[in-house]
Structure formats: structure tokens, C-alpha cells
């Protein structure tokens, strides 16, 4: 890992994340996936929005954008469509991508544009101090829900799949090997990829909801995540209260930028000159 | 060879973008700007460029910023409500010094207002729409041929100063059809941003040259730099110290303020011996030309100062004008926006009268003639 840190991280550490935060693990997994695939570092762009997770772009040694709140995906769409040779990885959080950026999220998935989205899900707005997000479980306590949230959370993989994403996976900060593996598969996939990375926020989520310290929260991830393959042999009763990890959906559909070249530009230039 | 055509202002703006070498457009349909998007949906792929209709106005603005970072010249087009939605990211482009051009074909507002009616009510929004202190350039065309040539100029300024340029059109100009001579585009000098020297470990993405503008690397070329909307220092990384904050904001302003002679464009029409100067812009200027010609026939010495650069405001030129004429008339299709700036600059050296119209009809030559004392 030391070699990877030197190669892929800018000399800007230590990071600003709280003690026990899982964001470093998720960011490390992205770097390991990039290294595993041997991506050209000069042709890889990291785009983030605003929030705890989105500060990752500043630490990574690539062309990087720390954009506006919720807008990582349309910025990334502009980068990818105008320069399709670039690998474009989007780093975003639960609030960033499913609240203020929710519309962009479903449309990027619908287009099946070749972006890889790593969604750090810590179930809370951390940077602003613990307000509820669209992925905060119902009845959780948040600074803006002192009596418990009424809203039901999105199931992000289901949302992405319904919107048209062609690669959907989930892992956790505890399941790091799987996380590296599914991020690598997502980057290699030719189309819109969504990887939900369940991560702990012991300071703003953990404290308010008495979820314990970081190791306790990671043990919760261990005990409640079920690999999608193992789940096939389990009964609904056994799966109650659990969530699935692994590759949850994979399909084939034409990728947007290739289609643009093959259909739009080809048609526009047919018979020209 | 030049081609002579009958063309709409919106289409001429789109052709100006093609001639300037624009390779990326992202937009969301909104009247009365839609023809810009429609023209470019057809034209951009013909020249190997990309057009995308995004899910909303904000996404469109974000997408052109992303595309500009890869080194492309980019455009989005919108109107009133859409312009409001884009504002946060216009500020992002300003602080990250990402060259972008935003065409705003103004319509009556606030809110949905009157989608197909003429107005010039976004003058102040063009300047102050986004939060915080930031520089901006806004250009305003008054004819179909100028929609073409001034769009190219918008790219010259945006690329040269790394600043968002608002192409502030109005419905009169956007939807008007007029004769235009289009040059051979291969003869149009392509505006182009300043590039840094070869990638090196020493590259500082926001270290300015003498002109206060930092050279800009394109993504994918090996510079590996960081772009953030946070206040940053010359390295491009966040630095929230008071010193770094003041330094950045001051430079952003001064890179524009130090080059006013290059940026401020205007036209003087029959002003040589004028007693009364009409200050007008965009569609309103067309009525002013006619009113001035009619007034002159009746022996009334009138002329026009036509604003082409709206922002930065032509302070110097209008202050000088105030010492030469007896009266100043500001004509605009709004409740009074430019007039406040004119009064600020004139400082009482000449009386300033406002002809404001905000009923969705353009100001007619007759109305202006009456103000000039003609019949």
C-alpha cells in the first residue's frame, strides 16, 4: 500500500476525515482497483461533488474536479462525452448523489454513459454535521430529525438498475477485497456503473444513533451484509434485516459515447464533403 | 467564399459558435433560446463536435464546465428561468477560471413571465446573479450579423481571460431574421486559451502570468491538476486563509479590470455634434437608430452610445460622454437597470432620463422620437 500511496495520492495527507471514518478505506479501494486494472494515470479523471466523500478528489493524483454539490455526474458527463478516451470515475456521497444530485443520477444511468460511480454511503450528511440524507434508515435520529426520520431510504442499487445502469454492485468498508473487486469490474465495464460502498460515520451517525464506535459499526457491516451468491441459498426469514453485497446487476446496452460516434456523427457526416 | 443568407439571430449565434471552433454544447430547451440548441444539434456533429440535451439547466451548465476542462470551447443557451438555475455553476466557472459561454436570450420575468415576449430584464442578473464577488463579461448584440461576429468575440474573451462570458441577447434579436454574410470559417481566427509548457512536477495550475491569467492545461495531457470551487492558492488546492482568499478574489477582478481597453466594446452613432445621447443596447438600439435618423431630419441633434460590452460597464466612455452632451436618455426594456449604472458614472454631470418599457412590447422609434422632442 505504501507504494500505492506514493503513486496515486498527492503529498497532501493527512486527510480531513474524522477518526474512524470509512472514507479512507473506500478511497484506498478505488486506488487498488485502478492499480489492478493498470489504468493510465494521465488518462484517468476523478470527479466529485461536495461532501465528506467528495473531498477524496483532492488527495488523488490524477486530473481531478471537486465540483458543486450534486453536480459531479453532469460535470463527468461533459468530460466523458467531449473526451471519450478518458476513464472517468465519480466519487460521491449519499446526499450528493441521491438528494440534490438525484435527477442527474437517474439520467446518467439512463444514458448508459461509461462512467464509474463510487457512492460512499454513510447514511448521513457528515460535512454539515449529521442531517438526514435520502439513505438514512427510517426512524433514525439526525440533527434535522431529532424525533426520528419519517422518510424511507432509497435502495440505491435498485434505483440505478431501474434507471438503466448496466453494472450495479455493493460492498462495504469491512468487505474491502470485494470492494476493490467490484470497483475494478465497474471501471472495466463499458457503460454506466454504480458501486455503493457502505461506510461508517461513527461521529455524526454513530453517536446520534448509538451505533457504537468505528469497529462496532464495521462489525455491523460484517454481520448484516450477505453475499449475493450466498443469499441464493437463504430463506426470506434468514435474509430479513440483511442487505446484499456483490455484483447485483449486470446487463448489456449500447454505451452513450460510442453510440454518439457511430450514429450521430456518422449520420451527420454521411454524404458531407 | 462568403455566403449571403437570411438568418435568425439565434441561428447566427450558433453559426458564430461553429466558426469559433466550439466542439461541445449542452443545453435544456427553453423559449426563446431554443433555436440555438436546435441549430447546434444539427451542426456540431457535422464538424465532429458533440451536442447533448441534458436533464435540466443546472446539468447543462455542469456539462459544459466538464467539457471545457478537456480543452474544448463550449456553449450553453438558455433564457430567464434557466439562466437563474445556472447561476451557482456560473460562479463555479468564475472561481475555477473555466472558459465558458452562456447565451441568455432574455424574456419577460420574473418567473415564467412571458416566454415569447421581448425584455432586457437580466442585465443585473448577468452581473450579480451568482453569489459572492466575481468578475464577468457580458456582451449584447444588436443585429443578426452581430450575433455571429460577437459570438466569436465572446470566445476570444472567454478563452483569453478564462472567464465566463454571458452572451446577453434579447428576444427581438434572437428571433429576428436579417441578411447576413457568413465568411469562410477556415478564415476565422480561432480563439484559443493559453497553454502551459510541458507537464512537470512544478506545474501550478493557478499560477498566473504577467497578465494575471494562469495558463490552462487540458485534462488527459499529464498535468494531473485539481479544480475546486473552494478558495484555492496558486497550487489549485484549497487554502482558506484570509491572505489566500483576498489574493485570489483580487486577481480574479484585476485580470478583467486591467484589460478594459481590450474588453469594452461600444458603438457611437451620430454623436459628433449631438446634444442628446441615447444610451441603448440590443433590440432597443434598433429603434434608437431609426429615432435618431428621424430626429436629425427634424433638426434635432441626437445620437446614440450603443453598449456592446454590458459588463464590465463602460464607465470611462460614459463619463466622457456626459461631459460632451446636454442630455442623456437611457432606453431599455425593463423597469430601469442600466440607468442606475449610468447615473452612477455620470455623477450629475448631465441629466439622465429613463425610457423604460416593461409591457412586453419593444420600445418603438416613435416613442423615442417623442422623448427627443420630435414629432
Amino acid at each position: 500500500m505504501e507504494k500505492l500511496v506514493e503513486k496515486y495520492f498527492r503529498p497532501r495527507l493527512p486527510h480531513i476525515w474524522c477518526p474512524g471514518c470509512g472514507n479512507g478505506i473506500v478511497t484506498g479501494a478505488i486506488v487498488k482497483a485502478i492499480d489492478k486494472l493498470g489504468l493510465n494515470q494521465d488518462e484517468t479523471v476523478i470527479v466529485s461533488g461536495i461532501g465528506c466523500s467528495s473531498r477524496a478528489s483532492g488527495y488523488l493524483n490524477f486530473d481531478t474536479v471537486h465540483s458543486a454539490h450534486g453536480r459531479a455526474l453532469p460535470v463527468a458527463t461533459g468530460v466523458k462525452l467531449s473526451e471519450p478516451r478518458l476513464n472517468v470515475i465519480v466519487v460521491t456521497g449519499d446526499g450528493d448523489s441521491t438528494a440534490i444530485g438525484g435527477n442527474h443520477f437517474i439520467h446518467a444511468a439512463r444514458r448508459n454513459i461509461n462512467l464509474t460511480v463510487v457512492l460512499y454511503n454513510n447514511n448521513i450528511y457528515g460535512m454539515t454535521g449529521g442531517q438526514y440524507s435520502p439513505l438514512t434508515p427510517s426512524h433514525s435520529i439526525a440533527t434535522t430529525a431529532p424525533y426520528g426520520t419519517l422518510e424511507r431510504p432509497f435502495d440505491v442499487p435498485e434505483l440505478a438498475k431501474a434507471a438503466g445502469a448496466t453494472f450495479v454492485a455493493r460492498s462495504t468498508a469491512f468487505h474491502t477485497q470485494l470492494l476493490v473487486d467490484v470497483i475494478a469490474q465497474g471501471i472495466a465495464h463499458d457503460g454506466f456503473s454504480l458501486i455503493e460502498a457502505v461506510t461508517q460515520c461513527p461521529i455524526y451517525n454513530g453517536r446520534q444513533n448509538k451505533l457504537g464506535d468505528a469497529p462496532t459499526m464495521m462489525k455491523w457491516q460484517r454481520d448484516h451484509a450477505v453475499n449475493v451468491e450466498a443469499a441464493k441459498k437463504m430463506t426470506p426469514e434468514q435474509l430479513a434485516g440483511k442487505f446484499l453485497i456483490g455484483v447485483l446487476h449486470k446487463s448489456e446496452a449500447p454505451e452513450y459515447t460510442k453510440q454518439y460516434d457511430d450514429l450521430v456523427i456518422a449520420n451527420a457526416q454521411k454524404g458531407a464533403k | 467564399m462568403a455566403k449571403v443568407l437570411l438568418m435568425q439571430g439565434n441561428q447566427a449565434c450558433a453559426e458564430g459558435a461553429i466558426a469559433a471552433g466550439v466542439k461541445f454544447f449542452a443545453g435544456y430547451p427553453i423559449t426563446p433560446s431554443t433555436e440555438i440548441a436546435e441549430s447546434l444539434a444539427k451542426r456540431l456533429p457535422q464538424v465532429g463536435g458533440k451536442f447533448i440535451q441534458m436533464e435540466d439547466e443546472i446539468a447543462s451548465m455542469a456539462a459544459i464546465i466538464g467539457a471545457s476542462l478537456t480543452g474544448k470551447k463550449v456553449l450553453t443557451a438558455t433564457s430567464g428561468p434557466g439562466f437563474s438555475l445556472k447561476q451557482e455553476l456560473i460562479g463555479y466557472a468564475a472561481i475555477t477560471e473555466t472558459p465558458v459561454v452562456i447565451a441568455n436570450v432574455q424574456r419577460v420575468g420574473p418567473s415564467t413571465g412571458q416566454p415569447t415576449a421581448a425584455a432586457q430584464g437580466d442585465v443585473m442578473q448577468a452581473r450579480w446573479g451568482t453569489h459572492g464577488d466575481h468578475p464577468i463579461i457580458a456582451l449584447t448584440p444588436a443585429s443578426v450579423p452581430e450575433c455571429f461576429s460577437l459570438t466569436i468575440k465572446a470566445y476570444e474573451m472567454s478563452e483569453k481571460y478564462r472567464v465566463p462570458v454571458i452572451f446577453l441577447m434579447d428576444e427581438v434579436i434572437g428571433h429576428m431574421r436579417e441578411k447576413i454574410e457568413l465568411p469562410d470559417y477556415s478564415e476565422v481566427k480561432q480563439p484559443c486559451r493559453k497553454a502551459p509548457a510541458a507537464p512537470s512536477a512544478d506545474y501550478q495550475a493557478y499560477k498566473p502570468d504577467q497578465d494575471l491569467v494562469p495558463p490552462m492545461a487540458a485534462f488527459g495531457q499529464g498535468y494531473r491538476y485539481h479544480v475546486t470551487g473552494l478558495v484555492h492558492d496558486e497550487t489549485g488546492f484549497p487554502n482558506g486563509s484570509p491572505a489566500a482568499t483576498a489574493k485570489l478574489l483580487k486577481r480574479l477582478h484585476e485580470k478583467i479590470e486591467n484589460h478594459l481597453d481590450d474588453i469594452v466594446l461600444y458603438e457611437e452613432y451620430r454623436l459628433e455634434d449631438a446634444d442628446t445621447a441615447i444610451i441603448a443596447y440590443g433590440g432597443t438600439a434598433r429603434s434608437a437608430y431609426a429615432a435618431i435618423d428621424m430626429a436629425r431630419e427634424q433638426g434635432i441633434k441626437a445620437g446614440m452610445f450603443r453598449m456592446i460590452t454590458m459588463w464590465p460597464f463602460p464607465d470611462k466612455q460614459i463619463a466622457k460622454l456626459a461631459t460632451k452632451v446636454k442630455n442623456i436618455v437611457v432606453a431599455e426594456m425593463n423597469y430601469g437597470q442600466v440607468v442606475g449604472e449610468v447615473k452612477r458614472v455620470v455623477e450629475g454631470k448631465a441629466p439622465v432620463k429613463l425610457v423604460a418599457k416593461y409591457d412586453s412590447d419593444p420600445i418603438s422609434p416613435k416613442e423615442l422620437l417623442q422623448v427627443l422632442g420630435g414629432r
Side-chain angles (χ1 to χ4, degrees), chain A residues 61-75:
Chain A
N61 190 13
F62 302 87
D63 281 322
T64 52
V65 192
H66 178 229
S67 71
H69 192 32
R71 315 306 168 198
L73 274 165
V75 170

PDB file of all heavy atoms in Angstrom, chain A residues 61-75:
ATOM      1  N   ASN A  61      -3.938  11.611  -7.164  1.00  0.00           N
ATOM      2  CA  ASN A  61      -3.015  12.191  -8.127  1.00  0.00           C
ATOM      3  C   ASN A  61      -3.417  11.884  -9.577  1.00  0.00           C
ATOM      4  O   ASN A  61      -2.813  11.058 -10.254  1.00  0.00           O
ATOM      5  CB  ASN A  61      -1.599  11.684  -7.821  1.00  0.00           C
ATOM      6  CG  ASN A  61      -0.548  12.426  -8.621  1.00  0.00           C
ATOM      7  OD1 ASN A  61      -0.831  13.462  -9.223  1.00  0.00           O
ATOM      8  ND2 ASN A  61       0.654  11.898  -8.633  1.00  0.00           N
ATOM      9  N   PHE A  62      -4.463  12.547 -10.002  1.00  0.00           N
ATOM     10  CA  PHE A  62      -4.955  12.448 -11.379  1.00  0.00           C
ATOM     11  C   PHE A  62      -5.414  13.856 -11.758  1.00  0.00           C
ATOM     12  O   PHE A  62      -5.285  14.782 -10.965  1.00  0.00           O
ATOM     13  CB  PHE A  62      -6.172  11.500 -11.447  1.00  0.00           C
ATOM     14  CG  PHE A  62      -5.902  10.110 -10.947  1.00  0.00           C
ATOM     15  CD1 PHE A  62      -6.040   9.795  -9.597  1.00  0.00           C
ATOM     16  CD2 PHE A  62      -5.513   9.116 -11.832  1.00  0.00           C
ATOM     17  CE1 PHE A  62      -5.796   8.514  -9.133  1.00  0.00           C
ATOM     18  CE2 PHE A  62      -5.266   7.830 -11.373  1.00  0.00           C
ATOM     19  CZ  PHE A  62      -5.400   7.524 -10.014  1.00  0.00           C
ATOM     20  N   ASP A  63      -5.999  14.013 -12.947  1.00  0.00           N
ATOM     21  CA  ASP A  63      -6.760  15.234 -13.192  1.00  0.00           C
ATOM     22  C   ASP A  63      -8.038  15.086 -12.375  1.00  0.00           C
ATOM     23  O   ASP A  63      -8.757  14.079 -12.512  1.00  0.00           O
ATOM     24  CB  ASP A  63      -7.081  15.375 -14.687  1.00  0.00           C
ATOM     25  CG  ASP A  63      -5.891  15.889 -15.478  1.00  0.00           C
ATOM     26  OD1 ASP A  63      -5.166  16.756 -14.951  1.00  0.00           O
ATOM     27  OD2 ASP A  63      -5.676  15.426 -16.616  1.00  0.00           O
ATOM     28  N   THR A  64      -8.314  16.053 -11.520  1.00  0.00           N
ATOM     29  CA  THR A  64      -9.411  15.891 -10.564  1.00  0.00           C
ATOM     30  C   THR A  64     -10.298  17.137 -10.512  1.00  0.00           C
ATOM     31  O   THR A  64      -9.817  18.257 -10.656  1.00  0.00           O
ATOM     32  CB  THR A  64      -8.872  15.617  -9.152  1.00  0.00           C
ATOM     33  OG1 THR A  64      -7.906  16.624  -8.825  1.00  0.00           O
ATOM     34  CG2 THR A  64      -8.214  14.256  -9.051  1.00  0.00           C
ATOM     35  N   VAL A  65     -11.572  16.906 -10.296  1.00  0.00           N
ATOM     36  CA  VAL A  65     -12.518  18.017 -10.146  1.00  0.00           C
ATOM     37  C   VAL A  65     -13.303  17.847  -8.854  1.00  0.00           C
ATOM     38  O   VAL A  65     -13.925  16.804  -8.636  1.00  0.00           O
ATOM     39  CB  VAL A  65     -13.555  18.071 -11.297  1.00  0.00           C
ATOM     40  CG1 VAL A  65     -14.315  19.399 -11.262  1.00  0.00           C
ATOM     41  CG2 VAL A  65     -12.920  17.869 -12.650  1.00  0.00           C
ATOM     42  N   HIS A  66     -13.281  18.858  -8.041  1.00  0.00           N
ATOM     43  CA  HIS A  66     -14.132  18.929  -6.854  1.00  0.00           C
ATOM     44  C   HIS A  66     -15.206  19.932  -7.264  1.00  0.00           C
ATOM     45  O   HIS A  66     -14.986  21.135  -7.250  1.00  0.00           O
ATOM     46  CB  HIS A  66     -13.263  19.441  -5.694  1.00  0.00           C
ATOM     47  CG  HIS A  66     -13.979  19.620  -4.393  1.00  0.00           C
ATOM     48  ND1 HIS A  66     -13.879  20.776  -3.659  1.00  0.00           N
ATOM     49  CD2 HIS A  66     -14.786  18.801  -3.692  1.00  0.00           C
ATOM     50  CE1 HIS A  66     -14.596  20.661  -2.547  1.00  0.00           C
ATOM     51  NE2 HIS A  66     -15.156  19.471  -2.547  1.00  0.00           N
ATOM     52  N   SER A  67     -16.354  19.418  -7.723  1.00  0.00           N
ATOM     53  CA  SER A  67     -17.306  20.304  -8.405  1.00  0.00           C
ATOM     54  C   SER A  67     -18.308  20.895  -7.417  1.00  0.00           C
ATOM     55  O   SER A  67     -17.962  21.162  -6.276  1.00  0.00           O
ATOM     56  CB  SER A  67     -17.987  19.563  -9.563  1.00  0.00           C
ATOM     57  OG  SER A  67     -18.895  18.588  -9.092  1.00  0.00           O
ATOM     58  N   ALA A  68     -19.531  21.109  -7.853  1.00  0.00           N
ATOM     59  CA  ALA A  68     -20.532  21.714  -6.971  1.00  0.00           C
ATOM     60  C   ALA A  68     -21.405  20.612  -6.362  1.00  0.00           C
ATOM     61  O   ALA A  68     -21.432  19.477  -6.849  1.00  0.00           O
ATOM     62  CB  ALA A  68     -21.382  22.708  -7.758  1.00  0.00           C
ATOM     63  N   HIS A  69     -22.150  20.968  -5.330  1.00  0.00           N
ATOM     64  CA  HIS A  69     -22.945  19.976  -4.618  1.00  0.00           C
ATOM     65  C   HIS A  69     -23.971  19.319  -5.547  1.00  0.00           C
ATOM     66  O   HIS A  69     -24.808  19.998  -6.135  1.00  0.00           O
ATOM     67  CB  HIS A  69     -23.659  20.648  -3.442  1.00  0.00           C
ATOM     68  CG  HIS A  69     -24.272  19.679  -2.469  1.00  0.00           C
ATOM     69  ND1 HIS A  69     -23.740  18.433  -2.200  1.00  0.00           N
ATOM     70  CD2 HIS A  69     -25.373  19.777  -1.690  1.00  0.00           C
ATOM     71  CE1 HIS A  69     -24.477  17.818  -1.306  1.00  0.00           C
ATOM     72  NE2 HIS A  69     -25.485  18.599  -0.978  1.00  0.00           N
ATOM     73  N   GLY A  70     -23.853  18.006  -5.686  1.00  0.00           N
ATOM     74  CA  GLY A  70     -24.798  17.250  -6.511  1.00  0.00           C
ATOM     75  C   GLY A  70     -24.453  17.188  -7.986  1.00  0.00           C
ATOM     76  O   GLY A  70     -25.111  16.481  -8.743  1.00  0.00           O
ATOM     77  N   ARG A  71     -23.431  17.927  -8.420  1.00  0.00           N
ATOM     78  CA  ARG A  71     -23.218  18.084  -9.867  1.00  0.00           C
ATOM     79  C   ARG A  71     -22.067  17.265 -10.423  1.00  0.00           C
ATOM     80  O   ARG A  71     -21.652  17.486 -11.558  1.00  0.00           O
ATOM     81  CB  ARG A  71     -23.013  19.556 -10.219  1.00  0.00           C
ATOM     82  CG  ARG A  71     -23.981  20.516  -9.573  1.00  0.00           C
ATOM     83  CD  ARG A  71     -25.432  20.185  -9.809  1.00  0.00           C
ATOM     84  NE  ARG A  71     -26.276  20.987  -8.919  1.00  0.00           N
ATOM     85  CZ  ARG A  71     -27.540  20.697  -8.624  1.00  0.00           C
ATOM     86  NH1 ARG A  71     -28.110  19.610  -9.114  1.00  0.00           N
ATOM     87  NH2 ARG A  71     -28.226  21.473  -7.821  1.00  0.00           N
ATOM     88  N   ALA A  72     -21.546  16.328  -9.649  1.00  0.00           N
ATOM     89  CA  ALA A  72     -20.419  15.534 -10.153  1.00  0.00           C
ATOM     90  C   ALA A  72     -20.794  14.806 -11.446  1.00  0.00           C
ATOM     91  O   ALA A  72     -20.012  14.780 -12.400  1.00  0.00           O
ATOM     92  CB  ALA A  72     -19.965  14.533  -9.099  1.00  0.00           C
ATOM     93  N   LEU A  73     -21.977  14.236 -11.498  1.00  0.00           N
ATOM     94  CA  LEU A  73     -22.332  13.424 -12.673  1.00  0.00           C
ATOM     95  C   LEU A  73     -22.461  14.244 -13.955  1.00  0.00           C
ATOM     96  O   LEU A  73     -21.931  13.831 -14.984  1.00  0.00           O
ATOM     97  CB  LEU A  73     -23.594  12.604 -12.399  1.00  0.00           C
ATOM     98  CG  LEU A  73     -23.261  11.275 -11.712  1.00  0.00           C
ATOM     99  CD1 LEU A  73     -24.495  10.628 -11.116  1.00  0.00           C
ATOM    100  CD2 LEU A  73     -22.586  10.316 -12.692  1.00  0.00           C
ATOM    101  N   PRO A  74     -23.149  15.385 -13.954  1.00  0.00           N
ATOM    102  CA  PRO A  74     -23.150  16.152 -15.211  1.00  0.00           C
ATOM    103  C   PRO A  74     -21.785  16.717 -15.585  1.00  0.00           C
ATOM    104  O   PRO A  74     -21.475  16.798 -16.785  1.00  0.00           O
ATOM    105  CB  PRO A  74     -24.171  17.268 -14.969  1.00  0.00           C
ATOM    106  CG  PRO A  74     -24.422  17.301 -13.511  1.00  0.00           C
ATOM    107  CD  PRO A  74     -24.136  15.921 -12.998  1.00  0.00           C
ATOM    108  N   VAL A  75     -20.952  17.072 -14.605  1.00  0.00           N
ATOM    109  CA  VAL A  75     -19.590  17.500 -14.947  1.00  0.00           C
ATOM    110  C   VAL A  75     -18.854  16.331 -15.607  1.00  0.00           C
ATOM    111  O   VAL A  75     -18.222  16.475 -16.653  1.00  0.00           O
ATOM    112  CB  VAL A  75     -18.817  18.001 -13.704  1.00  0.00           C
ATOM    113  CG1 VAL A  75     -17.339  18.202 -14.022  1.00  0.00           C
ATOM    114  CG2 VAL A  75     -19.420  19.306 -13.174  1.00  0.00           C
TER     115      VAL A  75
END
